[in-house]
Amino acid sequence: MRKLILLLFAIMPAIAFGQGFQVNLHGQKQIGMGHTGTGLLQDGASVLFNPGAVAMLPQNYVQAGMSPLLFKSDFNPSGSTDQYRTKNKIATPFTAYGVWGPKDARWKIGLGVYTPYGGLTDWGQDWAGKYSLESLNLKAIYFQPTLSYRVTDFLSLGAGFVYNHGTVDLTRAIPVTDASGNDGQAQLKGSGHGFGWNAGAFIKTNVGLTIGLDYRSQVNTTVKNGDAIFKVASSIQPNFPQPNTFTTTLPLPSTSSIGLGYKPSNKWTVAVDVNFTKWDVYKTLGFDYAKNTPTLQDTYSPRNYKNGWSYRAGAEYKATDKIFVRGGGGYVTTAVKDGYVTPEAPDANRYYLTAGLGYKVTKSLDLDVSFEYEHLDARTQTNIESQLSGTFKTNVYIPGLSLAYHW
Amino acid sequence: MKTYRSYLHILLVTGLLGFGACKTSINTPAPSRGTADFTRYISVGNSLTAGYADGGLYREGQLNSYPSIIAAQMQKVGGGTFTQPLFSTDQANGSGYLRLVGFNADGTPKTEQVTSNLAIRGQITVPGFGNVILYTKYTGDINNYGVPLIKLQQITYAPYGNLSGYFERLLPGNSPTNTTSYLDFVTAKPYTFFTDWLGNNDALLYAITGGADPNLRLTDKALFSQLYNLSITQLTKSGQKGAVATIPDVVAVPYFTTVTVGAILAGVQKVNPAAKALYVNALNSDGSHSARIATAADLIILSFPTSMMGQPVAAAGNLPYGLTPLTPIEDKYVLDQGEVAMTQDYVNAYNATIKSVASSKGLAIFDAYAFLNDVKAHGLVVDGVNLSSAFISGGIFSLDGIHLTPRGYAVVANEFIKAINKQYNASIPLANVSSYRGVKFPGDNTK
């Protein structure tokens, strides 16, 4: 008889994105100043930072930038001296903005294309957490047409519509050994889309202080009929029917921001921003497979994220008529509660420091470079679902470059 | 302008490459051997210690034995080399072992015996004992003294080297000329640390044969205590430190929990709906056996050929096998409720001895009894893998339902290490369980 109660290997794909997946690389001038910008009028990046500010921009803009990102995580399993490090993979968040309005008109229109969420993590196939994750490549690209209107000289409002195109490609090992001694492997790969909006207000006070308010809505992104590829020993392939598809929804959370800008002299600009990201919408992660077997069940993993805050400050110094020097930094609280930290983006409280340099190539062409260093606190955790236990520590290095043409 | 741009480009690229070189690192305190000395570690025990798996002793199992996993970790705190009496690569399949070849339509596994590249050199008949299979001799240093099938009861028995092919292969002399007892053999060469996981077979060999073999009785409790005291005294005679393990509960292993009375009856009823009950030949309180209706508390062994069920038994008027009081399932296939209780009583007594002796000598104790019962009750999640005591799918137990997979042995190694660290204030790093395999499934990964 030797009844084999049908194989029940838990397959729990997890796309756990945290603050770590919120990519705040939205413009080189703003990065240089510690990601401030809600309460400033810097350039076309206002489309994202504050659509309300767009109508106040003195000129029209076309600009694009890229911030290659190197995410370097280290994992040390509890009770071990082993260290596992993510591979050097470079993610490429980018931005492109256009802002246009007739000269002296009260309105401007804008378009932003940017990558507010994403992650590129590759732990390889031989690390202790391979059954949780081998690699993840997650990208969300937002397209945002925007309209902004200057109500009075001291108040302007704006709003945009957001279309998100998201892609995910996740691999993890399956704890089923084949005849040659190899693990099985699962790959979940697909794309989806979602919709949202944003709105903002920009206020100029008569004491030189500028104030920005911005709200970016939640964007539920549904990946429908993505490919669910399972490579396992041929004798148990029927437990993992192929071809198969999966459907999942990721709630990319809303962000509320308030920003202040101030020019203490004509050489200096200082700014602070506070952001609130409503991560608590991320309660569970579900994967619904088109074909289920007793082995391959739909999964629901608890996430129970908490809301995150970020506090940002930065300054710009006009060294000459052509050269601008920038610096800034910030502190971001984690969205991931104890027990829920996963290797996709091992989230923790983090601080970052930024620096930037702006160069006016011509009267209407800005070249800006930025650099950011982010440090995530070491966090020792046992994941309640996978029991993966150990310490994660992460550093992120992000240079960046943009060109802005304005007239 | 152009040079400026390309300069920036170079800056960006080299900058990123530069950051690629800087490592994120977590400071881990240097591991320590604490108050123990692992210069020469030896492992004492039976098949579990030898790395026996899938119903046989073979090279891959040896290479993944828990003592070898422990030793590799000990080397990070100054432990010495650890040499195992491995079968050669030419004779890698050792005694032969079971491998999974597929599944029947009902999901039950099909296994076959591996018979190539064995290390069998012959067989002799020992008068008054029986046949002994002899294996290719191992010569060389030995740190892992695991000998499959050995009972604690046999460790001082001088002729044992003539009765056990697995022990004989480690000895210089040929059966039947050996006179070195197991205990003397393992303690002959100096060592600084030992693990000792003896005693399982004093209960297990009785249990796996359904309590039916008159030559495989439960070892007397007092004798067990006497020999355990003796062995620990000898193992620690020069002040050596060590770790011992308790004996798992017989009902914690899939050998006894996979083929159940309920499942067999359900299978019988598919063919013969009139069948109401199974009959087993069960132990009475006076020591005799008689037939009675089987209950869920009677444990059927993993290797019971279920195809026998309902077959006419010629010696009993062609009544169907297993379904009448005159044709009960034979004793050798069943560890019935009374036998289970008796085995558990002995195991509890043995474990009480093990714990008290080890405590009195200040040895580390891995309570395998408690650990495996906990795994059976709650499963175990390690590094994202759900492990359990289930046959094949559980990932811990190999195809014989008693011995472990490499992954199971890695789990055991870590439990030993935790016990050693605790007792000797050491910090031997744990092994990476996820790098060890579970049961091998037929076929390669699909492309």
Side-chain angles (χ1 to χ4, degrees):
Chain A
M1 172 83 56
R2 297 193 182 187
K3 183 76 182 165
L4 176 65
I5 315 305
L6 262 170
L7 307 163
L8 277 170
F9 301 106
I11 304 300
M12 291 253 187
I15 300 179
F17 58 111
Q19 294 284 71
F21 277 105
Q22 187 172 24
V23 179
N24 291 303
L25 304 162
H26 300 319
Q28 261 54 46
K29 292 187 180 81
Q30 291 78 6
I31 295 169
M33 294 178 68
H35 301 297
T36 57
T38 310
L40 292 179
L41 294 172
Q42 285 277 35
D43 59 10
S46 288
V47 169
L48 178 141
F49 278 92
N50 186 354
V54 169
M56 292 275 194
L57 286 171
Q59 288 184 295
N60 296 327
Y61 287 85
V62 178
Q63 65 186 79
M66 184 173 273
S67 304
L69 181 152
L70 198 55
F71 185 87
K72 295 181 72 88
S73 257
D74 182 19
F75 179 68
N76 166 230
S78 294
S80 159
T81 49
D82 296 339
Q83 306 227 4
Y84 299 97
R85 295 183 172 90
T86 52
K87 299 192 168 158
N88 283 327
K89 290 272 174 83
I90 296 168
T92 52
F94 66 89
T95 55
Y97 303 105
V99 170
W100 182 83
K103 201 164 173 61
D104 300 329
R106 284 180 168 272
W107 57 272
K108 274 192 194 310
I109 54 170
L111 175 68
V113 183
Y114 52 91
T115 51
Y117 294 94
L120 181 64
T121 317
D122 185 357
W123 292 94
Q125 299 189 353
D126 300 314
W127 80 294
K130 63 186 173 182
Y131 299 117
S132 296
L133 181 81
E134 288 175 346
S135 69
L136 172 67
N137 189 353
L138 179 74
K139 282 180 201 151
I141 302 174
Y142 281 22
F143 299 83
Q144 183 202 320
T146 302
L147 179 65
S148 185
Y149 184 74
R150 197 170 77 236
V151 182
T152 69
D153 283 349
F154 60 87
L155 173 67
S156 63
L157 302 173
F161 164 81
V162 167
Y163 169 81
N164 169 33
H165 175 77
T167 59
V168 62
D169 185 351
L170 174 151
T171 61
R172 67 192 310 198
I174 304 174
V176 175
T177 311
D178 78 354
S180 302
N182 301 310
D183 284 315
Q185 208 194 34
Q187 183 180 25
L188 299 172
K189 195 178 171 179
S191 64
H193 63 266
F195 301 100
W197 56 276
N198 67 356
F202 189 81
I203 301 155
K204 282 183 177 171
T205 66
N206 54 11
V207 292
L209 183 73
T210 49
I211 302 166
L213 300 167
D214 177 63
Y215 176 77
R216 278 174 269 155
S217 78
Q218 182 178 336
V219 178
N220 284 326
T221 300
T222 299
V223 176
K224 238 185 193 160
N225 301 324
D227 293 324
I229 302 160
F230 299 103
K231 295 174 180 172
V232 292
S234 52
S235 58
I236 53 161
Q237 186 73 66
N239 294 294
F240 299 89
Q242 292 285 295
N244 202 352
T245 62
F246 73 97
T247 295
T248 189
T249 296
L250 298 175
L252 302 174
S254 66
T255 304
S256 309
S257 309
I258 180 166
L260 304 176
Y262 186 65
K263 280 181 175 294
S265 74
N266 63 358
K267 282 197 176 293
W268 283 92
T269 306
V270 294
V272 292
D273 271 31
V274 175
N275 303 64
F276 170 75
T277 307
K278 200 165 162 38
W279 282 107
D280 72 354
V281 296
Y282 194 38
K283 299 236 184 286
T284 58
L285 173 69
F287 274 86
D288 178 3
Y289 296 104
K291 294 176 197 162
N292 292 116
T293 68
T295 307
L296 186 66
Q297 297 285 331
D298 294 343
T299 59
Y300 297 92
S301 305
R303 284 294 176 260
N304 296 320
Y305 277 24
K306 59 184 179 183
N307 295 326
W309 291 86
S310 76
Y311 309 93
R312 309 166 169 184
E316 178 180 84
Y317 176 71
K318 187 177 172 184
T320 72
D321 281 349
K322 279 182 170 291
I323 293 175
F324 298 80
V325 181
R326 306 184 183 105
Y331 185 77
V332 185
T333 63
T334 181
V336 184
K337 291 181 190 170
D338 285 346
Y340 293 88
V341 174
T342 54
E344 284 85 351
D347 212 39
N349 293 331
R350 60 179 67 197
Y351 71 81
Y352 62 85
L353 297 168
T354 69
L357 194 65
Y359 179 70
K360 279 193 173 306
V361 182
T362 70
K363 203 179 83 178
S364 48
L365 183 67
D366 301 348
L367 180 121
D368 293 287
V369 293
S370 61
F371 178 72
E372 173 170 356
Y373 165 74
E374 260 184 68
H375 174 78
L376 279 73
D377 293 345
R379 197 166 179 193
T380 303
Q381 290 278 297
T382 300
N383 184 278
I384 54 168
E385 201 171 54
S386 69
Q387 297 295 310
L388 185 65
S389 181
T391 303
F392 284 105
K393 187 173 161 184
T394 306
N395 289 320
V396 192
Y397 305 91
I398 318 161
L401 172 70
S402 71
L403 283 172
Y405 184 76
H406 46 91
W407 70 97
Chain B
M1 171 71 205
K2 197 177 171 203
T3 50
Y4 187 58
R5 236 189 225 162
S6 51
Y7 172 70
L8 265 173
H9 182 75
I10 291 163
L11 188 78
L12 277 176
V13 170
T14 52
L16 266 182
L17 289 176
F19 298 119
C22 49
K23 273 184 185 169
T24 301
S25 276
I26 295 163
N27 293 329
T28 54
S32 150
R33 65 188 176 94
T35 57
D37 176 358
F38 307 116
T39 309
R40 179 170 153 81
Y41 156 51
I42 62 165
S43 55
V44 179
N46 47 49
S47 47
L48 290 163
T49 301
Y52 195 96
D54 302 318
L57 185 65
Y58 63 108
R59 189 177 165 94
E60 191 199 354
Q62 294 178 308
L63 288 170
N64 292 298
S65 71
Y66 76 82
S68 70
I69 298 170
I70 293 172
Q73 300 306 112
M74 282 178 174
Q75 282 164 10
K76 297 174 184 174
V77 292
T81 53
F82 188 81
T83 309
Q84 301 197 87
L86 297 174
F87 292 114
S88 70
T89 48
D90 290 347
Q91 301 186 331
N93 295 333
S95 66
Y97 59 95
L98 289 172
R99 89 188 166 92
L100 193 57
V101 289
F103 296 94
N104 298 306
D106 62 356
T108 58
K110 287 189 277 195
T111 56
E112 72 175 22
Q113 184 75 18
V114 173
T115 56
S116 64
N117 299 86
L118 302 185
I120 294 174
R121 74 170 206 270
Q123 179 173 307
I124 61 160
T125 304
V126 177
F129 179 75
N131 291 335
V132 175
I133 294 172
L134 299 175
Y135 300 98
T136 305
K137 285 275 185 189
Y138 172 82
T139 53
D141 203 14
I142 297 174
N143 290 80
N144 186 347
Y145 289 101
V147 168
L149 293 171
I150 194 169
K151 292 181 174 192
L152 183 74
Q153 192 196 344
Q154 295 160 327
I155 62 169
T156 56
Y157 184 55
Y160 185 68
N162 303 323
L163 311 181
S164 160
Y166 291 114
F167 186 31
E168 198 261 4
R169 79 177 268 266
L170 307 181
L171 295 170
N174 290 330
S175 178
T177 65
N178 290 309
T179 55
T180 308
S181 76
Y182 178 77
L183 187 58
D184 287 341
F185 183 64
V186 304
T187 54
K189 190 173 167 181
Y191 54 92
T192 59
F193 195 87
F194 69 92
T195 56
D196 175 11
W197 198 3
L198 281 167
N200 309 58
N201 288 332
D202 296 82
L204 193 68
L205 294 185
Y206 166 82
I208 62 173
T209 49
D213 188 334
N215 294 319
L216 296 171
R217 310 316 301 173
L218 292 158
T219 300
D220 179 73
K221 294 173 189 171
L223 178 61
F224 188 98
S225 175
Q226 182 208 325
L227 287 170
Y228 204 82
N229 271 291
L230 175 77
S231 60
I232 293 296
T233 301
Q234 186 158 341
L235 282 164
T236 57
K237 67 176 182 287
S238 308
Q240 293 97 335
K241 292 177 167 127
V244 302
T246 56
I247 299 165
D249 192 348
V250 281
V251 301
V253 298
Y255 185 83
F256 290 111
T257 57
T258 306
V259 181
T260 61
V261 168
I264 296 174
L265 185 59
V268 168
Q269 285 171 336
K270 272 190 201 159
V271 187
N272 176 7
K276 289 279 179 290
L278 307 183
Y279 285 84
V280 293
N281 194 20
L283 180 70
N284 298 313
S285 53
D286 65 359
S288 66
H289 280 71
S290 57
R292 63 162 169 76
I293 289 176
T295 73
D298 299 317
L299 306 179
I300 313 294
I301 68 171
L302 186 63
S303 52
F304 172 58
T306 49
S307 57
M308 287 170 66
M309 287 304 302
Q311 296 298 315
V313 179
N318 282 334
L319 288 170
Y321 183 85
L323 300 179
T324 78
L326 294 174
T327 56
I329 298 174
E330 293 152 86
D331 191 23
K332 64 180 177 180
Y333 295 127
V334 187
L335 194 70
D336 64 67
Q337 186 171 10
E339 291 166 341
V340 170
M342 192 165 85
T343 311
Q344 288 180 321
D345 175 52
Y346 274 71
V347 166
N348 287 336
Y350 298 163
N351 283 340
T353 296
I354 291 171
K355 287 194 222 174
S356 83
V357 174
S359 299
S360 73
K361 297 282 184 186
L363 301 175
I365 302 170
F366 159 41
D367 193 348
Y369 177 90
F371 181 74
L372 285 175
N373 275 353
D374 189 59
V375 170
K376 189 192 174 206
H378 306 113
L380 175 70
V381 186
V382 181
D383 296 345
V385 186
N386 286 343
L387 300 169
S388 76
S389 300
F391 186 51
I392 295 185
S393 64
I396 295 177
F397 288 95
S398 71
L399 293 171
D400 59 33
I402 296 168
H403 300 95
L404 308 182
T405 58
R407 181 158 287 164
Y409 281 126
V411 168
V412 160
N414 278 348
E415 293 304 313
F416 263 109
I417 290 172
K418 287 178 198 170
I420 294 167
N421 283 345
K422 193 173 158 205
Q423 183 68 26
Y424 298 114
N425 197 24
S427 54
I428 306 167
L430 297 178
N432 176 13
V433 171
S434 71
S435 68
Y436 294 87
R437 70 165 177 86
V439 170
K440 271 187 182 172
F441 288 90
D444 281 336
N445 283 340
T446 44
K447 297 298 169 207

